[in-house]
């Protein structure tokens, strides 16, 4: 009887592999929510940028055309990644490539002629009309490497020596990003590093040994760069320098205040008329708040919260440690960046140059984030595959027991 049950289990698995109708669908809501947010992002970018695009580039569609192209490429990559066997990322060669390539690109940012400097920061690589922001790749490359390493070395994660490879790789990425300088993304990667180590099984005492120096390093990093100290002062009292460092935060608060509960209406923002700097990128949430009000912002973050929830659920239901860590890392990147952007725009933390994922103008961030959501969907497909086989096996065991 037992051999008959095992044979039925093997047949169930083989049928699932060969019959397309039996293929697991996965958590489709991940794809739907990602597409809704990124599509709305194109609309928001048009509304926030059309005046600046018209006056600066002579084409009100300048930014939105780039964003629409990023959306199309992002959807294609998301669907391809959704069908990709993500377990291949666990291979030693791929995990090291995923880590090393972004680090090399981060180094190339400082090469004269390759690195592009805007507003005093060199964060992009430019070749002709094509630009890429290596820090966006670095976040996901680190998650792939950390997930693969920690899942292969679970027994070592309780020792300080065992966590060193993850700690050093994340530290190198943070160092290169802070040299650009880009403190906001450095903070994101640092939080991601600590979160991944914690999920990977790091002991609390090791967590404190790492966390305390990081906390102590923050004021040092602020002091050594005058512009960061100015931003901190502007955060504490923006009206002290209303035409200086405090200007952007004041204009952001004006936009949110002007929106009220229901907003001024789509395309009717006043602050986007060159009052609010970076209205189409880092502070696009302010324009959304002005045009759609508290209700619109609540709806936006409800959808974002649902996406984070689906990511957490995918991680919890993962059938192996690598899948759990990879799903957690992807969800953490999106969640951390979304929360920090909202806190900056609302004046809850000092201003930093950090876009709102899937919404703000920027092809690199949009395409890579959508591709990562495709990987998250792929993880959910594998979970459903195992769940379906398990249910069939239980039903057959139950029927045999009754017989």
């Amino acid at each position: 009887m037992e051999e008959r049950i095992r044979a039925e289990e093997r047949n169930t698995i083989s049928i699932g592999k060969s019959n397309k109708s039996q293929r697991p669908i996965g958590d489709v809501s991940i794809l739907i929510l990602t597409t809704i947010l990124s599509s709305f992002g194109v609309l928001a970018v048009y509304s926030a940028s059309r005046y600046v695009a018209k006056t600066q580039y002579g084409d009100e569609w300048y930014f939105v055309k780039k964003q629409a192209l990023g959306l199309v490429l992002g959807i294609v990559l998301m669907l391809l990644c959704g069908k990709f066997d993500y377990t291949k990322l666990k291979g030693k060669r791929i995990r090291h490539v995923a880590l090393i390539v972004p680090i090399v690109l981060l180094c190339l940012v400082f090469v004269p002629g390759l690195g592009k400097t805007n507003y005093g920061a060199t964060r992009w690589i430019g070749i002709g009309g094509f630009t890429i922001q290596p820090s966006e790749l670095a976040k996901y490359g680190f998650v792939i490497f950390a997930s693969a390493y920690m899942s292969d070395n679970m027994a070592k994660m309780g020792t300080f020596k065992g966590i060193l490879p993850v700690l050093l790789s994340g530290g190198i990425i943070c160092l290169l990003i802070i040299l650009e300088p880009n403190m906001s993304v450095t903070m994101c990667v640092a939080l991601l590093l600590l979160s991944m180590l914690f999920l990977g099984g790091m002991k609390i005492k090791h967590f404190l040994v790492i966390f305390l120096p990081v906390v102590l390093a923050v004021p040092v990093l602020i002091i050594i760069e005058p512009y960061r100290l100015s931003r901190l002062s502007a955060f504490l009292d923006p009206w002290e320098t209303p035409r200086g460092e405090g200007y952007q935060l004041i204009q952001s608060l004006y936009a949110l205040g002007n929106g009220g509960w229901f907003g001024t209406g789509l395309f009717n923002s006043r602050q986007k008329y060159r009052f609010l700097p970076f209205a189409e990128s880092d502070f696009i949430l302010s324009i959304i708040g002005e045009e759609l009000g508290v209700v619109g912002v609540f709806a936006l973050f409800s959808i974002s919260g649902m996406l984070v929830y689906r990511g957490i659920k995918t991680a919890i239901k993962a059938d192996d440690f690598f899948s759990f860590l990879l799903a957690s890392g992807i969800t953490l990147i999106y969640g951390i960046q979304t929360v920090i952007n909202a806190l900056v725009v609302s004046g809850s933390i000092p201003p930093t140059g950090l876009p709102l994922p899937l919404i703000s103008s920027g092809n690199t961030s949009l395409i890579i984030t959508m591709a990562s959501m495709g990987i998250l969907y792929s993880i959910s497909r594998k979970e459903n595959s195992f769940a379906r086989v398990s249910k069939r096996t239980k039903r057959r065991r139950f029927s045999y027991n009754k017989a």
Side-chain angles (χ1 to χ4, degrees):
M1 178 67 72
E2 191 67 28
E3 289 186 7
R4 186 178 176 186
I5 293 174
R6 289 174 184 170
E8 290 289 349
E9 290 176 3
R10 288 194 295 271
N11 288 336
T12 301
I13 296 172
S14 63
I15 290 172
K17 290 180 178 179
S18 60
N19 191 348
K20 289 186 178 181
S21 64
Q22 300 298 321
R23 287 180 180 175
I25 297 176
D27 192 347
V28 181
S29 62
I30 293 172
L31 303 180
I32 295 173
L33 292 169
T34 302
T35 304
I36 290 173
L37 286 168
S38 53
S39 299
F40 173 74
V42 174
L43 182 65
V45 166
Y46 171 69
S47 177
S49 69
R50 60 176 182 167
Y51 177 76
V52 173
K54 181 70 174 178
T55 56
Q56 189 170 338
Y57 299 100
D59 180 10
E60 67 178 36
W61 301 92
Y62 179 80
F63 289 102
V64 78
K65 283 190 288 188
K66 290 186 175 182
Q67 195 75 0
L69 176 61
L71 173 62
V72 173
L73 293 176
I75 289 174
V76 172
L77 271 178
M78 182 171 65
L79 295 176
L80 290 175
C81 289
K83 294 183 178 181
F84 174 69
D85 181 8
Y86 71 91
T87 56
K88 293 180 180 179
L89 298 174
K90 192 179 179 182
K92 289 188 175 180
R93 180 176 296 178
I94 294 181
R95 78 174 71 163
H96 288 116
V97 169
L99 178 66
I100 293 171
V101 169
I103 290 177
V104 171
L105 291 175
L106 284 171
C107 293
L108 291 177
V109 163
F110 304 104
V111 176
L114 281 179
K116 288 191 67 177
T117 302
N118 283 319
Y119 300 98
T122 308
R123 303 172 183 175
W124 301 267
I125 293 176
I127 302 175
F130 176 77
T131 59
I132 185 171
Q133 191 171 1
S135 59
E136 291 294 331
L137 286 170
K139 288 183 288 188
Y140 293 99
F142 168 74
V143 165
I144 292 170
F145 171 79
S147 300
Y149 171 81
M150 290 191 291
S151 62
D152 281 348
N153 298 275
M154 293 173 63
K156 296 180 181 179
M157 294 309 296
T159 66
F160 193 79
K161 184 179 179 181
I163 66 174
L164 274 179
V166 178
L167 186 60
L168 290 174
S169 59
I172 290 170
I173 291 172
C174 286
L175 176 63
L176 291 171
I177 294 175
I178 197 66
L179 290 175
E180 293 179 347
N182 192 337
M183 189 172 181
S184 55
V185 176
T186 304
M187 288 171 56
C188 286
V189 176
L191 289 172
L192 177 66
L193 167 62
L194 293 173
S195 301
M196 291 296 290
L197 284 172
F198 182 77
L199 293 173
M202 179 178 62
K203 290 184 176 180
I204 297 296
K205 63 179 182 180
H206 295 151
F207 180 84
L208 292 174
V209 168
I210 299 168
F211 181 73
L212 291 177
V214 170
V215 172
L216 293 173
V218 172
V220 175
L221 291 172
I222 292 174
I223 293 170
I224 61 176
E225 284 287 352
Y227 83 91
R228 291 184 191 133
L229 196 58
S230 299
R231 285 187 175 183
L232 180 60
S233 299
F235 161 70
L236 296 174
D237 186 7
W239 282 271
E240 185 180 347
T241 53
R243 296 186 179 181
E245 286 292 338
Y247 177 80
Q248 189 175 36
L249 179 55
I250 291 172
Q251 298 304 317
S252 175
L253 295 176
Y254 279 162
L256 294 172
N258 189 40
W261 282 100
F262 300 102
T264 58
L266 194 62
F267 308 128
N268 292 328
S269 165
R270 298 174 184 174
Q271 295 302 104
K272 66 186 177 186
Y273 292 104
R274 285 191 177 274
F275 291 107
L276 177 62
F278 304 108
E280 77 285 349
S281 54
D282 299 344
F283 279 78
I284 196 169
L285 184 60
S286 300
I287 303 301
I288 294 171
E290 184 180 9
E291 295 186 342
L292 303 180
V294 173
V295 174
V297 172
F298 178 78
L300 174 63
F301 280 106
S302 294
I303 298 172
S304 297
M306 288 169 62
L307 182 57
V308 171
Y309 169 74
R310 302 312 302 183
I312 293 172
K313 193 171 182 179
T314 298
I316 291 173
K317 292 171 64 178
D319 57 274
D320 62 84
F321 199 43
F322 172 69
S323 301
F324 165 75
L325 290 173
L326 187 60
S328 298
I330 292 171
T331 306
L332 279 167
I333 292 173
Y334 176 77
I336 289 172
Q337 193 162 326
T338 299
V339 170
I340 290 179
N341 180 271
L343 292 175
V344 167
V345 166
S346 61
S348 302
I349 61 174
T352 58
L354 192 69
L356 183 62
L358 297 176
I359 305 294
S360 292
S361 175
N363 272 353
T364 305
S365 176
L366 177 61
I367 294 170
I368 294 174
T369 303
M370 294 187 75
S372 72
M373 292 303 168
I375 296 293
L376 190 61
Y377 170 72
S378 179
I379 297 172
S380 72
R381 288 180 69 229
K382 185 182 177 185
E383 293 164 3
N384 286 353
S385 175
F386 276 91
R388 180 173 292 183
V389 171
S390 177
K391 284 182 180 178
R392 288 177 181 169
T393 302
K394 286 179 181 178
R395 283 199 298 267
R396 293 188 183 279
R397 284 182 183 275
F398 179 71
S399 62
Y400 287 136
N401 287 337
K402 284 182 69 177

